[in-house]
Amino acid sequence: MSISPSTPKGPANPSHDAPGWLVRLFSRIVAARWIIIALYALVLPPAAWFAARVQQDNAIERLIATSDTDYVETREFEKVFGAGEFAVLLAEADDPFAPAVLERFDKLERALKDIPRVEPNSALSIFRRAKAGFDPTPEQSEALRKFVTGTKLFQDQGLAGDGYLAIALVLDVHSSEQRRETLTAVRRAIEATGGDGPPLKTLRQVGQPYVNIYLDEDMQKTGPTYFGLFAVFIIGLCLFLYRSARTLAAFLITLGVCIALSMGYIGLTGGTLTIVSPMVPMTILVTATATLVYLQSRFVERPADRGVDEHQVFSFANKWLACTASIFATAVGFAALVVSSIQPIKQMGIWVAVGLGLTYVVIFTLFPALQKILKTPTALEQKVAAAWFVRLTAALPRWSYRYRWPLVLGSIALSVAGGVALFGLPGVVKPMRLLTDPVEYINSGSRLYADTKAIESKLPGLSITEVWLKGSVGSVSEPDALKGFQAFHEGLVADPEVGAAIGPTTILRMMQYLGGAGDVFPTDAEALDELAGTLESLAPVDPLLGRFVQKTGLGQTHFTIISKATEHEAFERLQASIDGHWKNAVEKNPALKEFELRTVGMAPLQARVSQSLVPTLVESFELTVGIIFVTFLLVFRSGAARLMAMIPSLFAILVMFGVMRLSGMTLNVATILIASTVLGTSENDQIHFFYHFQEGRKDGASVEKALQHTLFVSGRAIFFATLINAGGFLAFGMADLPPIRQFGILSAVAFVLSMIADFTALPAALWLVFRTKPDAELPPAEQPGETPAAG
């Protein structure tokens, strides 16, 4: 349905006098349109070039700040004992020691050993070193079976078990590109040696490196889809709303320049996109598009008695303050993320804020120039859509008055319920859980997810925690220290929080076993002295022992703890167990007193950093609320406006958390950003609402007349701007990754909820604050010009 320019268009507009300096500014911008076009033509190529240089790295470890104390200690540990990411290849078979299975397994491990940056280790490789070779004959296969099953050492480490043999891989990779190249080589080796076909039942490939590469590949594959869907959405909406190819061209060119400059800034500063970074270009695009809708919607409402040039200047001057305040509110909402100690979150905030600053300049320079050059039509030349807003303008104010108490009280009740869903209620409802397990960030229907879940009952875990022990020179090889290490090890492996523990005494026991002396750790002084001598002589030359004992000085060692801990709370329990067992070992073995214990490792560090998202983002959210409140204080001097400015946004955010709780969703690295995103973006609607409400009240008009004017001028723009916001973020609902998909769906829900509150709870609250009635219900002496109760 369309509206004709001759159709009565709601209440008469109040005074539209724009500040003279704004009229002069936009007159000069339009006059200099060709110069502006030429300047952007010069800037665009280098911006696009820098934008194309932006890389993507979605590894969860990217969330860790390099200045973090625990991160620094982990890197110091790696300088002593080597660095690497841990992965596992699990070969399942009815009989893993059958000659045909071992032949396949042997070929695979040999192929893996030839790959740079890959260090494989298995029960077979240990047997091969001990026996100076291996051939998959029936005799040697049976010898290997007896060798592996004759001790619990291999089973405790997850290298062998019922129906499987495993190859532990340490990948010496330090970048997304190295990880991708190395895992590609691993996959080729697997395919070249028979893959997971017979005689194997399956070959599972799991571990953090696979999760990281999955995230990388998925984001690169689906990223263009998000923005392609958004582009289609914008084209369809623009043609439906304004029914003009010229208007569409102006929109698309302006948006293209906005995103090129914003992404060019990221490339110029050497930024790398992470798992949370898709929000950067999308937020810039939806904010820019919504602002264009506000401007274009004002422009098309040209009165018949006003020329196009005059009205174009007026429309920009009239919307300048509201658009400036709304973009500023969104920018500071994201800029507040700089308080985060997590580098990608902080970078995201800076990138969006800078991008919106560039977008602001483009919109108020390039877009008016394009409007003039392309001669985008107004409603007098081309009918526009959504005439039903005329009827809404007339009916909604009185409807909101009639149901003002249910609307306001209902909004408050739903908000309180959402707050309980998020923060919990002591003794009744637990707070919403933050999910930090990286495996849960991938699609539950993927092969990687299925393999990871399938081996949970087979392996002691995939999470690595390192217990770093630092003593004096030669202290590690002291017999009493070795006795204490074994006591510490025995306490660890008996703990239910620990899946497996591998330390210097584990390797020494393995060497004893290889030598035919059994795997029992000696307790008499003579045997301990002999074991200490073995350690001193082999540590500098044996690669396996060298990974657990400092080769020069013998003053440091470590225990690798394998567990199923993935959440911060589980790592806290694990840490408590480690501390308790170490204390007991020190009390029984005074030789351990000189050792300093430090717990390091990327897995516990990632979980802790992810957990720290909560306080840092709460802090940034509070800062955002404060800054936006000050913005409203400066732009709108009405006490009512200051008090009610954030009602729709806060309502939408809290109810959205209630939706999360009811649908079984959890907080994660993406969804925890929704509050700041929605608050910063949806505040645009309230700014435009209150700007035109005050505009409607300038000449002393009643609340009803002011609401009608507000809804007529900004209602349609708010509705379609919300569609843009919701539609843009809803594109993420197509994502394969659960956090991104949930972020998109929940953001869209929150934007729609905010719009509903704009048209219901907000007018209802205004009726209550101003303590007045619709015009027909007021005595003539009281019309118009009520005094608000507050402010």
Side-chain angles (χ1 to χ4, degrees):
M1 186 176 182
S2 61
I3 180 171
S4 169
S6 61
T7 303
K9 298 195 285 187
N13 289 339
S15 172
H16 290 313
D17 294 334
W21 68 272
L22 280 175
V23 173
R24 291 190 296 273
L25 173 63
F26 286 110
S27 296
R28 290 172 182 169
I29 288 174
V30 174
R33 56 191 176 277
W34 289 110
I35 296 175
I36 291 172
I37 294 293
L39 289 174
Y40 280 108
L42 291 174
V43 172
L44 192 57
W49 185 80
F50 279 111
R53 295 182 61 190
V54 177
Q55 299 296 313
Q56 183 92 27
D57 186 353
N58 296 296
I60 302 299
E61 68 182 47
R62 288 278 300 168
L63 297 177
I64 302 171
T66 55
S67 59
D68 186 282
T69 302
D70 291 337
Y71 178 86
V72 173
E73 289 189 352
T74 296
R75 291 310 185 204
E76 290 177 355
F77 167 85
E78 291 173 347
K79 291 178 182 178
V80 179
F81 297 105
E85 297 183 358
F86 179 68
V88 174
L89 303 182
L90 194 85
E92 296 185 15
D94 292 329
D95 180 7
F97 297 101
V101 173
L102 292 176
E103 182 180 7
R104 169 74 63 81
F105 194 85
D106 187 39
K107 287 181 179 178
L108 174 57
E109 188 168 36
R110 288 176 183 273
L112 293 171
K113 196 167 185 179
D114 293 334
I115 300 174
R117 304 193 188 98
V118 175
E119 183 181 334
N121 186 50
S122 72
L124 176 58
S125 62
I126 294 173
F127 180 82
R128 184 187 296 111
R129 287 197 297 269
K131 306 300 181 180
F134 172 79
D135 288 316
T137 61
E139 293 77 17
Q140 291 206 27
S141 297
E142 188 59 30
L144 175 63
R145 184 196 301 273
K146 293 180 180 179
F147 175 77
V148 172
T149 57
T151 178
K152 289 190 64 180
L153 289 171
F154 297 108
Q155 185 176 355
D156 290 345
Q157 297 176 49
L159 294 179
D162 185 20
Y164 75 88
L165 288 174
I167 302 176
L169 301 179
V170 177
L171 309 182
D172 185 19
V173 296
H174 306 281
S175 68
S176 179
E177 187 60 32
Q178 286 184 353
R179 185 184 303 112
R180 183 178 296 106
E181 291 176 354
T182 303
L183 287 183
T184 298
V186 170
R187 287 169 181 165
R188 288 173 182 165
I190 292 172
E191 293 171 0
T193 54
D196 60 355
L200 302 181
K201 293 170 63 176
T202 188
L203 180 66
R204 305 188 189 277
Q205 307 169 54
V206 296
Q208 183 69 56
Y210 285 101
V211 173
N212 290 340
I213 202 68
Y214 180 96
L215 297 176
D216 269 348
E217 292 177 348
D218 183 86
M219 293 300 294
Q220 291 176 0
K221 177 179 65 177
T222 59
T225 304
Y226 308 149
F227 299 102
L229 290 172
F230 182 69
V232 171
F233 177 75
I234 291 299
I235 291 171
L237 182 63
C238 190
L239 290 176
F240 167 76
L241 184 56
Y242 303 114
R243 304 179 181 184
S244 167
R246 286 173 288 170
T247 301
L248 174 62
F251 268 55
L252 294 180
I253 293 171
T254 303
L255 293 174
V257 173
C258 288
I259 203 66
L261 294 180
S262 301
M263 296 302 292
Y265 167 78
I266 297 175
L268 180 65
T269 55
T272 299
L273 301 182
T274 66
I275 190 172
V276 298
S277 298
M279 292 70 159
V280 175
M282 187 59 76
T283 301
I284 292 168
L285 281 174
V286 297
T287 304
T289 307
T291 305
L292 293 177
V293 168
Y294 282 119
L295 291 170
Q296 186 67 16
S297 296
R298 195 62 166 133
F299 172 70
V300 299
E301 295 164 354
R302 178 170 71 91
D305 60 349
R306 184 181 294 164
V308 174
D309 292 345
E310 179 188 356
H311 182 66
Q312 182 191 20
V313 171
F314 157 76
S315 63
F316 275 90
N318 179 254
K319 296 298 292 184
W320 175 82
L321 180 60
C323 289
T324 298
S326 64
I327 292 178
F328 175 77
T330 305
V332 299
F334 280 90
L337 294 175
V338 298
V339 302
S340 174
S341 60
I342 301 174
Q343 190 67 12
I345 302 294
K346 181 186 298 185
Q347 286 178 333
M348 185 184 75
I350 295 172
W351 292 342
V352 172
V354 172
L356 289 177
L358 296 170
T359 295
Y360 175 81
V361 174
V362 173
I363 286 175
F364 282 107
T365 55
L366 180 61
F367 186 61
L370 291 171
Q371 271 188 332
K372 180 65 176 176
I373 292 171
L374 296 174
K375 298 180 180 180
T376 59
T378 67
L380 293 175
E381 296 85 35
Q382 175 64 58
K383 296 178 180 180
V384 295
W388 53 272
F389 256 97
V390 175
R391 296 190 296 273
L392 181 66
T393 298
L396 190 56
R398 295 200 174 201
W399 179 86
S400 64
Y401 173 79
R402 182 179 306 164
Y403 299 102
R404 60 195 183 280
W405 284 109
L407 288 172
V408 171
L409 295 178
S411 299
I412 293 173
L414 288 173
S415 299
V416 170
V420 171
L422 174 62
F423 299 110
L425 190 65
V428 181
V429 180
K430 292 183 178 180
M432 195 174 293
R433 190 169 65 95
L434 177 65
L435 186 67
T436 58
D437 184 358
V439 175
E440 298 300 333
Y441 287 2
I442 64 178
N443 191 324
S444 59
S446 66
R447 169 73 185 270
L448 176 59
Y449 185 90
D451 282 350
T452 302
K453 293 300 180 181
I455 67 169
E456 285 184 346
S457 60
K458 298 178 181 293
L459 296 184
L462 291 171
S463 179
I464 303 295
T465 302
E466 300 287 0
V467 179
W468 186 11
L469 301 174
K470 300 177 69 175
S472 59
V473 174
S475 58
V476 172
S477 61
E478 290 294 325
D480 289 342
L482 291 177
K483 184 178 178 181
F485 293 152
Q486 179 60 19
F488 179 49
H489 177 270
E490 290 172 356
L492 289 173
V493 296
D495 195 298
E497 297 292 335
V498 178
I502 308 168
T505 57
T506 310
I507 309 304
L508 291 173
R509 287 172 59 204
M510 180 69 71
M511 290 179 173
Q512 281 187 179
Y513 180 71
L514 295 175
D519 62 358
V520 178
F521 191 82
T523 55
D524 61 282
E526 184 177 349
L528 282 172
D529 283 337
E530 184 179 346
L531 202 61
T534 300
L535 188 150
E536 290 176 352
S537 62
L538 293 181
V541 295
D542 186 87
L544 191 57
L545 189 58
R547 290 192 67 88
F548 285 88
V549 177
Q550 186 184 29
K551 295 180 181 179
T552 57
L554 298 177
Q556 301 181 45
T557 186
H558 73 97
F559 285 77
T560 296
I561 296 179
I562 304 173
S563 72
K564 297 181 179 180
T566 55
E567 307 294 330
H568 179 64
E569 293 82 0
F571 280 111
E572 287 187 323
R573 294 195 300 270
L574 180 61
Q575 181 67 61
S577 294
I578 292 170
D579 293 339
H581 294 304
W582 179 251
K583 182 180 179 180
N584 291 337
V586 171
E587 289 177 354
K588 296 176 181 178
N589 301 274
L592 299 182
K593 288 183 178 180
E594 71 166 287
F595 288 92
E596 175 189 0
L597 183 147
R598 295 184 186 178
T599 303
V600 296
M602 296 305 293
L605 181 55
Q606 288 171 16
R608 183 184 62 76
V609 169
S610 296
Q611 188 70 24
S612 70
L613 280 169
V614 176
T616 57
L617 289 176
V618 168
E619 184 181 352
S620 70
F621 182 76
E622 292 172 347
L623 182 59
T624 301
V625 171
I627 294 174
I628 292 178
F629 181 83
V630 173
T631 302
F632 272 80
L633 180 66
L634 296 174
V635 176
F636 309 113
R637 291 182 172 80
S638 164
R642 294 198 301 271
L643 291 171
M644 295 183 294
M646 298 180 206
I647 287 177
S649 295
L650 295 178
F651 164 80
I653 291 168
L654 291 173
V655 174
M656 180 271 301
F657 282 121
V659 172
M660 285 184 66
R661 194 64 179 257
L662 290 174
S663 61
M665 296 184 188
T666 57
L667 294 173
N668 55 51
V669 70
T671 57
I672 201 169
L673 296 169
I674 291 177
S676 295
T677 301
V678 172
L679 179 62
T681 306
S682 63
E683 277 301 308
N684 297 348
D685 298 338
Q686 286 88 65
I687 288 174
H688 286 273
F689 187 101
F690 275 104
Y691 176 78
H692 290 292
F693 181 76
Q694 287 193 325
E695 184 180 65
R697 296 274 292 169
K698 279 182 181 177
D699 296 334
S702 65
V703 169
E704 183 177 13
K705 288 283 195 298
L707 283 173
Q708 288 176 339
H709 169 73
T710 300
L711 294 170
F712 171 71
V713 174
S714 64
R716 182 163 47 190
I718 288 174
F719 177 77
F720 284 104
T722 299
L723 287 185
I724 289 167
N725 291 337
F729 283 92
L730 191 58
F732 289 126
M734 306 292 291
D736 183 60
L737 304 181
I740 303 300
R741 181 171 63 248
Q742 293 169 4
F743 175 87
I745 294 171
L746 292 170
S747 295
V749 168
F751 286 129
V752 172
L753 288 171
S754 178
M755 179 189 68
I756 292 173
D758 287 336
F759 293 141
T760 57
L762 192 51
L766 283 170
W767 285 115
L768 295 177
V769 170
F770 281 84
R771 296 180 183 178
T772 187
K773 297 178 180 181
D775 295 345
E777 301 179 25
L778 288 174
E782 297 182 26
Q783 298 184 30
E786 303 82 4
T787 301

